[in-house]
């Protein structure tokens, strides 16, 4: 990963660096863990906030052939990038969208008996067998065919005969907790449901599901957060390489006496004479307000060189303030870059301090940061 200062831009107050080599390395780890199952990639939400236009082609170059997105709009963007890849759309078959699926050669993930019937009806009007996935609910109670839907679909043999059921899938609710009893309960449920669709390839595991072992892999796995260096499990070490580095620029360094307050609401009072660095990043850039410091509350520690420095006072829309007392002047100066997410501040640690998950961290990164893609 390149040093932000080496890739400097005079106008940038924030620099988001995406390491495409690390992305590809994570894909290869997941592919090898899942073999002989096929390893797909989930690139919804603009590739988890990192930029589909750069991320998806990098994954394709790494060998990925099948991709999942959430919406038709995402699928249309992805098809323009990858004309020959297999693309599944998780939101399913919305009313009157069949012609768009046909035109772009997309595959809907059918989430109800009604969607299955609509796709079957459409398939009868064209001379080719149209592929689709069916999502069955194995206990998450979100999307997917219910037990009654499954009875309806399997009882009407002509429905499944009308199109190519390319994939049967379900989704784990608690895979990030390896010892959670629901994992095995869902696996057994999915195993039983598979018997109703015996000819279809099966897909069950997300990133955390891959780490549960071969019994969860079936024919195709669908990693998301692990591709981007996120921590798929709540506990233990993270075996995946960080892909995202976020740096903020120091705009000003000032001295303030003990007893003065810092930031909006005067929520933090200085207990000693302090040097304060103001950095041009705030909650508009995905640096959450919940990372603020205050009297009786420790703000997130970020890094100026090798020096940990805490956030002082409230995070505002465009600015944060850091306690750089004791940091050498050569580092704590106007124009320096501060590591906000990177080698010292993992995305899951950033998330934990904010009371959220690294999925939300990555997808909340704003559009103002100068983006640089390295490797790939």
């Amino acid at each position: 990963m390149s040093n932000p200062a080496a890739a400097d831009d005079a106008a940038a107050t924030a620099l988001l660096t995406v390491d495409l080599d690390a992305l590809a390395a994570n894909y290869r780890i997941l592919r090898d863990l899942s073999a002989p199952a096929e390893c797909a990639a989930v690139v919804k939400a603009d590739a988890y906030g990192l930029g589909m236009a750069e991320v998806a082609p990098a994954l394709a170059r790494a060998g990925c052939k099948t991709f999942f997105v959430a919406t038709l709009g995402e699928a249309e963007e992805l098809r323009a990038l990858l004309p020959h890849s297999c693309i599944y759309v998780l939101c399913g078959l919305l009313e009157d969208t069949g012609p768009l699926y046909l035109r772009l050669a997309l595959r809907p993930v059918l989430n109800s008996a009604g969607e299955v019937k609509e796709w079957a009806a459409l398939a009868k009007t064209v001379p080719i067998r149209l592929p689709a996935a069916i999502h069955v609910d194995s206990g998450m109670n979100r999307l997917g065919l219910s037990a009654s839907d499954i009875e309806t679909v399997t009882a009407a043999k002509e429905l499944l005969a009308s199109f190519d059921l390319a994939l049967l899938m379900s989704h784990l609710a608690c895979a990030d907790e390896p010892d959670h009893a629901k994992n095995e309960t869902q696996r057994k449920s999915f195993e039983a449901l598979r018997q109703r669709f015996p000819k279809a390839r099966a897909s069950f595991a997300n990133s955390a599901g891959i780490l549960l072992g071969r019994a969860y892999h079936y024919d195709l796995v669908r990693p998301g957060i692990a591709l981007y260096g996120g921590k798929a499990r709540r506990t233990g070490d993270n075996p995946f390489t960080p892909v995202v580095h976020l740096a903020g620029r120091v705009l000003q360094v000032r001295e303030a006496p003990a007893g003065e307050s810092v930031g909006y609401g005067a929520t933090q009072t200085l207990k000693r004479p302090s040097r304060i660095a103001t950095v041009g990043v705030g909650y508009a850039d995905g640096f959450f307000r919940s990372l603020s410091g205050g009297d009786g509350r420790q703000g997130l520690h970020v890094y100026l060189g090798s020096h940990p420095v805490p956030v002082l006072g409230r995070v505002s829309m465009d600015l944060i303030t850091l306690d750089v007392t004791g940091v050498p002047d050569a580092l704590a100066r106007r124009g320096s870059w501060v590591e906000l997410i990177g080698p010292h501040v993992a995305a899951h640690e950033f998330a934990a301090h904010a009371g959220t998950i690294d999925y939300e961290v990555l997808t909340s990164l704003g559009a103002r940061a100068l983006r640089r893609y390295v490797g790939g």
Side-chain angles (χ1 to χ4, degrees):
M1 177 65 64
S2 61
N3 187 320
D8 201 1
D9 185 284
T13 56
L15 180 63
L16 179 67
T17 305
V18 179
D19 187 342
L20 298 177
D21 286 341
L23 175 80
N26 290 336
Y27 176 78
R28 288 190 291 268
I29 290 171
L30 291 157
R31 178 198 62 196
D32 293 347
L33 284 172
S34 306
E38 179 187 354
C39 187
V42 181
V43 293
K44 62 184 180 177
D46 198 27
Y48 285 49
L50 305 192
M52 183 190 288
E54 297 282 350
V55 165
L59 289 167
R61 290 191 295 272
C64 185
K65 300 182 185 307
T66 302
F67 295 82
F68 287 80
V69 294
T71 69
L72 264 173
E74 293 174 347
E76 191 166 11
E77 179 185 352
L78 183 57
R79 176 56 77 214
L81 295 166
L82 301 176
H84 306 297
S85 295
C86 177
I87 301 172
Y88 286 96
V89 184
L90 294 164
C91 74
L93 187 66
L94 297 176
E95 192 173 4
D96 298 325
T97 59
L100 184 57
Y101 276 98
L102 292 182
R103 179 168 64 83
L104 297 176
L106 304 172
R107 300 184 178 192
V109 175
L110 304 172
N111 291 305
S112 68
E115 290 182 23
V116 173
K117 291 175 182 177
E118 289 176 24
W119 190 250
L122 178 65
K124 291 176 182 178
T125 69
V126 297
I128 59 172
R129 282 179 61 76
L130 296 181
I134 284 181
H135 181 184
V136 292
D137 178 28
S138 58
M140 194 168 186
N141 289 296
R142 199 173 58 168
L143 287 176
L145 272 68
S146 64
S148 61
D149 279 340
I150 292 168
E151 290 299 325
T152 297
V153 166
T154 55
K157 302 296 184 184
E158 73 281 0
L159 287 179
L160 295 180
S162 300
F163 64 92
D164 175 16
L165 178 54
L167 194 68
L168 182 75
M169 59 177 282
S170 193
H171 196 60
L172 287 156
C174 303
D176 59 338
E177 299 178 65
D179 297 326
H180 201 294
K182 194 169 183 70
N183 293 324
E184 185 62 9
T185 299
Q186 279 194 266
R187 191 193 66 79
K188 289 178 178 178
S189 174
F190 184 58
E191 190 64 37
L193 293 170
R194 282 186 68 210
Q195 309 312 309
R196 309 297 294 273
F197 306 88
K199 296 181 180 180
R201 297 174 76 212
S203 177
F204 194 37
N206 55 6
S207 294
I210 292 170
L211 300 179
L212 291 176
R214 183 159 294 182
Y216 290 80
H217 294 169
Y218 294 95
D219 301 301
L220 181 143
V221 297
R222 315 184 307 268
I225 191 65
L227 291 169
Y228 310 109
K231 189 175 183 182
R233 287 179 166 179
R234 290 192 186 184
T235 58
D237 294 333
N238 184 7
F240 304 106
T241 303
V243 173
V244 176
H245 291 215
L246 178 65
R249 176 106 72 173
V250 175
L251 305 180
Q252 184 184 80
V253 179
R254 65 192 306 126
E255 307 282 342
E260 286 287 304
S261 63
V262 182
Y264 281 124
T267 57
Q268 185 154 12
T269 303
L270 298 174
K271 296 181 178 179
R272 61 177 182 178
S274 302
R275 294 172 69 227
I276 301 171
T278 300
V279 177
V281 169
Y283 55 75
D285 306 289
F287 197 93
F288 301 132
R289 200 165 181 261
S290 52
L291 299 170
S292 300
D295 292 337
R297 171 183 169 79
Q298 183 72 63
L300 176 71
H301 278 78
V302 295
Y303 275 76
L304 194 48
S306 62
H307 300 269
V309 291
V311 174
L312 292 174
R314 284 184 182 162
V315 174
S316 54
M317 184 181 291
D318 314 304
L319 302 169
I320 58 174
T321 43
L322 308 175
D323 184 356
V324 297
T325 309
V327 176
D329 291 349
L331 289 173
R333 59 177 179 80
R334 181 168 66 99
S336 291
W337 289 101
V338 179
E339 178 195 323
L340 307 175
I341 299 175
H344 297 98
V345 188
H348 67 268
E349 294 167 345
F350 183 106
H353 199 97
T356 185
I357 54 177
D358 43 6
Y359 299 73
E360 186 176 8
V361 171
L362 297 184
T363 57
S364 297
L365 296 170
R368 293 196 301 189
L370 174 67
R371 293 196 172 208
R372 296 198 184 277
Y373 294 88
V374 299

